[in-house]
Amino acid sequence: MILRLAGRALNFGTRRKLTRYETTARRILSLEADHRRLSAGALRDRVAELRQQVRAGTPLDEIKEEVFALAREASHRALNQYPVPAQIIGALALHDGCIAEMKTGEGKTLTATLVCALHALTGEGVHVATPNDYLAERDAGWMRPVYNLLGLSTGVITQEMDDDSRREAYRCDITYGIASEFGFDYLRDNMKFSAAETVQRGHAFALVDEADATLIDDAGMPLALFGPLGDHSGFYQAIDAVIASLQPSHYEIDSRRRVALTEAGYSEVEQRLREQGLLKASTTLHDIGSISLLHHVVQSLRAHAVLVRDRDYVIENSGVTIVDRLTGRPMPGRRYDEGLHQALEAKEGCAIGEETHTLAAITFQTYFRRYARLAGMTGTATADAEEYNEIYGLDVISIPTHRLMIRIDESVLHATAAGKMRAILRDLEDAASRGQPVLIGAPSIERSEALAAMLEANGWRQRHAQTERDATARTFAVLNAKHHAREAQIIAEAGAPGAVTIATAMAGRGTDIRLGGEHADEAARARVIAAGGLLVIGTTHHDHGRMDEQLRGRAGRQGDPGRSIFHASLEDEFLTNAAISVPRPDQNAPVAPAVATRLIRAAQKRHEIRSFDRRLGLLRFDAIIQRQREEFYDLRRNIRDGNDTLTLATRLRHETIDDLIDRFAAPAAPWDIAGLDHAVRSVLTLAVDINPPSADPKAAAQALAQHIRAMADRWIDGKIACMGESMFVDILRRVMMALIDHLWSEQSDRLDHLKRRIGDRRLPPHKVVAEFQLEAFALFERMIADFRREVTAYAMRVGILPT
C-alpha cells in the first residue's frame, strides 16, 4: 500500500512537471513568428546581447524561453528542422538537471542543441559526452551549423588529439567528446606542471548522451592512466617460491573461486617471506604497511590454487595466454592486471613481463558528479530512476512521444533452447516471405556467430560486402562492435525491404533504422510499411529490462509500424544465473504467458538489484578515495599555481622535525638519542648535539625541536641566498609536484589492494565500508607524513651548499 502511494506521488510530481513544461513550450512556440523575421546578423546579435546579460548576473531561467526560440529558428535555417514540442519539453527537463527519457527516433541530438545553447551563454563551457568517438564527431558536425548561426563555437575531443588541439576544443562554447576522454583529460590535467599546460577549463555543465551506458552500465569502470614499473621478475619469483611450498591446509577456496590463507598459512608465509628478506621481523602481513606485499601474495596464491593451465590459460610461444571462459579460445595480447599475469609467468617459469602501475584513476560515477550541473538523455531510464537519484541526484522524466507509439511487443518463453531457435527461424522465414526487414539481437559476438551458422545451415548466406543489396537471395549481415562508424552505417540500412541483420547488444546505438533504408524512395518505404514495419527479434532476455527496451526501441520510431518479439528459454543464462525456481512444462509447448512474465521479471529484478548494490558499494568505496584524491589534487594545484611555496616548505619542514621528536624523544618514554641523531642526519643533513633530557623531558624535547628548526631554517636561508629565491622556489615546486604524483600513484595501488583485501575478510556488510575507511585513513596519514619527510629531505639537499 505504501509503495503504491509513493508511486502515485512520484507520478503526480512528474505530471506536474510535464504540465509546466508544456505551458512553457507553448510560450516558446509563440515566439516563432517574431524570430523568423530576424536577419542572420540580428539573430547572432540578439544571442550576443543575451550572453552579456548572463555574464552580468541574469539567471538562465529568465532568458531560457527566448534562447530556446532562437535556437529553434537557427535549427530551421541550418537543418530545415523545427524542434517539435516533445523536443522542447525534453530540453526543458535537461535544463532542470534531469535524465530525459526519449524514445528512439524522437530526436535527442537536436533536443540537446536547445539546452546546450542556453548553458553556453555562461561562458564556462558545455560538455556533451557520448559513448563513442563516432557519435561525438557525427553529432558535433551535424549540429555545428545551428550553433554557428547563433554565434556559438563547437569543438570535438577525440582520442588522437594532442594537447594544443584539446585545449582549443575546450575553449569552444560547446565541446563534444567521448565520456572517457573527458575523464582522462581531468586526470592528465592534475599531473601537469603548470596551469598553462592544462586543457580543461572547469566543470560547469555536462550533458551525457546515452546516459544509461555511461552513468549506469560503465559507472564503476575505472578510467586509469598507467606507467611502467620496470623489471621486478626477481620479486615475483621470490613470492612464487614461497607460495609453491604451501600445503592445501594453508589456504581455502570458496564457491566463488576466491582464495584466502588460513591462520596456519599466514604463519608459514610470513616466516618464509622473512627468510627471503621481503618482510621485516617486526611486522606481519596484517600491518597496514604490508598491504601491497599481501596483495601480491594473494595474487600468487590465485595463480597456483585457482587458475588452471589449459582451462584458464595456455602456454604458447613460451608465454602465458589467457583463455576466454565463454568460448574456450586463446586471447593473445590480453594480460591479467594487478600483477596476476606476472604471478602466472613465475609459476610456469616463463619470462616475466613488465608490470604497470596506476598513475591516476577515477570512475565515471565520481567524475561526472564533479560537474556543477549534470543532465542526461537516453531511450531507457525509468527502470533505473532510483539509481540516478541516489547516486547523481537526478530525477527521471519520461518525455511523451511526438507521435503515438503503435509498435506491437511480444514475449515467448520456451521450454528448451532448441525450441527457441526453431521459433526464431520460423519468424524470420515468415518475415522474409513478405519482404519485412528483420533485426535479430544477440547478447554477444559468440551468440551472433552461432545464429549466423544456424541461418547458413538453413539456406541463408552471409552478406560480407555492404554493396550487396539483393534481398531475394536470402542474405543477412552480421554486425559486430569493432568499428563504430561501420556499425552505424550498416544498421542504418537494416530497414531495407527483406533486409536481415544480426546485431550484438553494442551495435547501432545512436543511429535510427529508417523504414525502406536510409536513402530509400517512397516506394521502398511503403513496401516495408505494408509488410508491418521493422521486426525486432530478441534471442534472449537481458539481465536488465531496459536493455530489452533498447532493442525493442529500434522498431516503431516516430509512429512507424513495427513489431518486437523476444524468444527466450528456461535454459537461458539470465534465468539460470538468477537462481529462481522454474516450472517443468511440456517440452514442446511454450510456458504460459502469465507464468513467463512473472519469471522473466523476477529474474531481471534480481539481476538489477545485484548490479545496483554492486555499483552503490563501489561508489561508497570511491567516495572515500575521492576525498583523498581531492585533498592531494588541491594541494598540488596550490603548489603549482600559488605563491606560498616557501611558506608551505617551512611548515612541512617544521612538522617533519616534530614527527622525529615525537618518534625518538617522546616525553613518556626513554629518548632514543642514536635513532634521533641518525634520522636528523639522513633527513635534514644536519649534525646536532643531542643531550639526554633533564628533569623535564617535555620542555627539553620542545627546546630541542626549536633548536633543530632554527638550524634547518638557517640552512635553507643560506641556500636561497646562494641560488636566488626564484630558482630555489621553481626547483622546489617541481619537486613537490613530482613527489605528489609518485606518492598518489603508490597510494592508489594500496587503496585498490585494500579494497580487495577488505572483500576477502568476509565481514558483515555493514562493517565493510567502515573498515575500509578506517584503514584508508591510516594509509593517508602515512602518505602525508611521507610527503612531509620527502619534501624536507629534497629541500635540504637541493642546489648549492651554503658556506
Side-chain angles (χ1 to χ4, degrees):
M1 181 67 180
I2 294 175
L3 290 175
R4 283 201 301 273
L5 290 174
R8 288 175 186 171
L10 290 172
N11 290 333
F12 178 69
T14 299
R15 285 196 299 272
R16 284 186 61 185
K17 279 187 178 180
L18 286 173
T19 301
R20 189 174 78 246
Y21 293 156
E22 287 167 358
T23 302
T24 305
R26 284 193 292 272
R27 289 200 297 268
I28 292 169
L29 291 170
S30 70
L31 299 174
E32 181 180 316
D34 294 337
H35 291 139
R36 191 180 301 160
R37 290 192 289 268
L38 294 176
S39 66
L43 196 69
R44 279 193 296 272
D45 289 344
R46 182 53 188 155
V47 173
E49 290 173 12
L50 291 171
R51 189 197 293 258
Q52 291 300 322
Q53 290 180 24
V54 171
R55 293 186 178 180
T58 301
L60 293 180
D61 280 338
E62 291 187 13
I63 63 167
K64 67 183 178 186
E65 293 180 15
E66 184 172 3
V67 173
F68 278 23
L70 290 166
R72 284 189 79 242
E73 181 60 30
S75 173
H76 176 65
R77 296 184 189 187
L79 307 176
N80 197 29
Q81 296 179 38
Y82 268 127
V84 297
Q87 291 170 313
I88 298 174
I89 291 169
L92 290 168
L94 294 174
H95 170 62
D96 279 352
C98 295
I99 299 290
E101 182 183 78
M102 300 179 69
K103 300 302 181 185
T104 300
E106 289 296 297
K108 292 187 285 292
T109 306
L110 187 60
T111 298
T113 60
L114 306 180
V115 69
C116 288
L118 176 63
H119 283 266
L121 300 185
T122 64
E124 297 174 327
V126 171
H127 295 172
V128 183
T130 66
N132 58 61
D133 51 2
Y134 165 72
L135 289 178
E137 293 184 90
R138 185 203 70 175
D139 292 355
W142 188 6
M143 297 297 121
R144 184 175 281 112
V146 178
Y147 297 127
N148 286 346
L149 281 174
L150 297 171
L152 302 173
S153 56
T154 312
V156 186
I157 300 294
T158 61
Q159 292 174 306
E160 299 80 15
M161 294 171 66
D162 59 23
D163 277 2
D164 288 339
S165 301
R166 288 172 185 270
R167 198 173 297 113
E168 191 63 32
Y170 279 117
R171 286 193 185 123
C172 292
D173 296 307
I174 299 110
T175 305
Y176 287 78
I178 316 170
S180 58
E181 284 302 300
F182 287 120
F184 283 131
D185 282 336
Y186 166 74
L187 294 176
R188 285 187 285 257
D189 275 357
N190 280 287
M191 298 181 70
K192 298 291 174 59
F193 281 95
S194 71
E197 295 177 72
T198 61
V199 298
Q200 290 186 339
R201 58 189 180 104
H203 300 86
F205 176 69
L207 174 58
V208 184
D209 191 12
E210 304 293 358
D212 53 340
T214 300
L215 301 182
I216 302 294
D217 295 339
D218 295 332
M221 185 182 76
L223 304 171
L225 302 177
F226 295 100
L229 271 176
D231 182 12
H232 289 77
S233 54
F235 171 76
Y236 289 106
Q237 288 162 351
I239 296 286
D240 182 75
V242 172
I243 299 302
S245 66
L246 296 182
Q247 302 299 316
S249 60
H250 290 142
Y251 56 86
E252 54 189 20
I253 304 173
D254 65 14
S255 59
R256 296 169 61 185
R257 298 178 73 194
R258 294 185 303 182
V259 64
L261 292 168
T262 61
E263 286 303 316
Y266 272 110
S267 299
E268 180 70 17
V269 169
E270 287 173 349
Q271 179 183 337
R272 292 185 177 275
L273 289 174
R274 293 188 182 105
E275 293 171 359
Q276 296 272 9
L278 297 174
L279 187 67
K280 295 179 180 179
S282 59
T283 60
T284 72
L285 285 174
H286 295 293
D287 290 344
I288 197 70
S290 302
I291 189 71
S292 294
L293 180 59
L294 177 59
H295 167 76
H296 287 289
V297 165
V298 174
Q299 293 292 64
S300 183
L301 189 58
R302 285 182 64 196
H304 276 271
V306 176
L307 300 181
V308 178
R309 181 170 175 172
D310 295 330
R311 184 192 71 185
D312 299 296
Y313 65 94
V314 294
I315 304 300
E316 288 184 339
N317 302 320
S318 301
V320 174
T321 300
I322 301 173
V323 171
D324 190 305
R325 290 189 298 108
L326 296 177
T327 66
R329 296 174 179 170
M331 297 190 292
R334 294 282 299 276
R335 293 177 65 84
Y336 290 115
D337 59 3
E338 302 289 343
L340 180 58
H341 209 92
Q342 287 80 4
L344 277 174
E345 289 167 335
K347 169 189 171 183
E348 297 294 345
C350 301
I352 297 176
E354 187 177 46
E355 186 184 352
T356 60
H357 68 137
T358 304
L359 299 176
I362 196 169
T363 62
F364 280 125
Q365 280 178 334
T366 301
Y367 173 72
F368 281 106
R369 280 154 52 97
R370 289 187 50 77
Y371 282 87
R373 298 192 71 167
L374 179 66
M377 50 188 187
T378 180
T380 49
T382 305
D384 298 300
E386 180 185 356
E387 185 165 351
Y388 284 120
N389 187 269
E390 185 161 350
I391 291 181
Y392 303 100
L394 302 175
D395 291 330
V396 171
I397 300 290
S398 183
I399 309 301
T401 56
H402 176 50
R403 293 189 176 93
L404 184 66
M405 173 76 73
I406 60 173
R407 185 185 68 226
I408 300 170
D409 295 329
E410 303 170 70
S411 293
V412 182
L413 184 61
H414 302 270
T416 64
K420 174 182 76 171
M421 299 307 286
R422 288 193 297 269
I424 290 171
L425 189 60
R426 282 196 304 270
D427 279 348
L428 175 60
E429 297 283 3
D430 176 64
S433 68
R434 293 180 285 104
Q436 183 178 22
V438 180
L439 177 70
I440 306 176
S444 66
I445 294 175
E446 293 72 33
R447 293 289 181 84
S448 69
E449 290 175 349
L451 283 165
M454 181 191 76
L455 293 189
E456 288 174 340
N458 284 274
W460 290 76
R461 179 172 60 83
Q462 184 170 345
R463 189 172 69 245
H464 294 282
Q466 199 174 340
T467 54
E468 296 183 48
R469 301 291 185 197
D470 186 3
T472 62
R474 290 168 60 85
T475 62
F476 65 93
V478 177
L479 205 58
N480 59 43
K482 293 179 181 177
H483 305 288
H484 292 298
R486 183 170 177 271
E487 286 177 4
Q489 198 171 7
I490 295 172
I491 206 81
E493 293 299 320
V500 175
T501 308
I502 299 173
T504 63
M506 294 178 65
R509 272 186 176 272
T511 305
D512 294 334
I513 297 176
R514 300 183 183 278
L515 299 189
E518 186 177 17
H519 305 293
D521 55 22
E522 284 303 315
R525 176 174 168 81
R527 181 181 170 192
V528 170
I529 289 175
L534 179 69
L535 170 63
V536 171
I537 299 177
T539 56
T540 185
H541 286 283
H542 297 84
D543 288 351
H544 297 77
R546 63 179 164 78
M547 299 179 75
D548 287 353
E549 292 305 311
Q550 289 168 7
L551 183 57
R552 290 190 194 274
R554 311 312 302 176
R557 59 175 296 279
Q558 286 282 337
D560 286 341
R563 175 173 169 244
S564 74
I565 181 166
F566 270 79
H567 288 287
S569 82
L570 296 176
E571 298 172 356
D572 287 356
E573 286 184 3
F574 90 96
L575 273 176
T576 58
N577 291 344
I580 59 174
S581 59
V582 297
R584 295 184 178 179
D586 183 345
Q587 296 292 300
N588 298 315
V591 178
V595 176
T597 300
R598 178 178 57 79
L599 287 175
I600 292 165
R601 189 62 201 125
Q604 289 180 331
K605 190 65 177 176
R606 184 164 294 188
H607 286 298
E608 289 163 0
I609 290 172
R610 287 175 184 169
S611 297
F612 182 26
D613 288 345
R614 183 173 63 251
R615 287 189 292 269
L616 196 57
L618 287 173
L619 179 65
R620 288 168 179 157
F621 281 125
D622 205 51
I624 296 167
I625 296 173
Q626 178 64 8
R627 283 198 290 273
Q628 297 190 13
R629 183 187 292 116
E630 288 291 345
E631 185 104 7
F632 244 44
Y633 282 176
D634 286 346
L635 175 60
R636 194 184 190 283
R637 279 192 293 271
N638 288 337
I639 294 168
R640 187 190 70 194
D641 305 332
N643 298 314
D644 58 350
T645 305
L646 280 179
T647 303
L648 174 61
T650 300
R651 178 171 64 82
L652 296 175
R653 185 167 63 252
H654 290 178
E655 290 174 353
T656 298
I657 293 168
D658 292 341
D659 290 343
L660 297 178
I661 295 296
D662 289 343
R663 180 178 175 187
F664 295 104
W671 283 19
D672 181 359
I673 294 177
L676 180 58
D677 179 66
H678 175 74
V680 169
R681 289 174 185 271
S682 62
V683 176
L684 302 172
T685 69
L686 298 176
V688 180
D689 291 330
I690 304 174
N691 298 314
S694 59
D696 189 351
K698 182 177 180 181
Q702 292 174 346
L704 179 59
Q706 187 174 356
H707 175 58
I708 297 174
R709 284 198 293 267
M711 288 183 66
D713 290 346
R714 286 196 298 272
W715 182 255
I716 293 296
D717 290 341
K719 283 179 179 288
I720 293 173
C722 292
M723 299 171 60
E725 182 174 322
S726 177
M727 179 183 292
F728 183 80
V729 167
D730 185 61
I731 293 172
L732 196 56
R733 179 184 290 119
R734 288 182 173 273
V735 165
M736 285 181 174
M737 287 190 286
L739 277 171
I740 284 177
D741 294 340
H742 173 70
L743 290 172
W744 178 248
S745 172
E746 290 187 337
Q747 177 74 349
S748 296
D749 283 342
R750 282 193 292 263
L751 291 171
D752 281 342
H753 300 163
L754 176 62
K755 196 159 40 175
R756 289 171 174 81
R757 297 288 72 80
I758 291 287
D760 289 342
R761 292 177 192 173
R762 301 172 188 174
L763 297 166
H766 66 282
K767 289 188 176 181
V768 171
V769 175
E771 188 93 356
F772 177 79
Q773 183 170 14
L774 186 66
E775 297 193 26
F777 180 75
L779 287 172
F780 183 76
E781 289 287 288
R782 174 185 163 184
M783 178 182 63
I784 292 296
D786 288 346
F787 177 67
R788 289 196 296 260
R789 185 181 63 253
E790 293 297 320
V791 168
T792 299
Y794 273 105
M796 297 297 284
R797 286 170 173 78
V798 73
I800 304 168
L801 297 177
T803 56

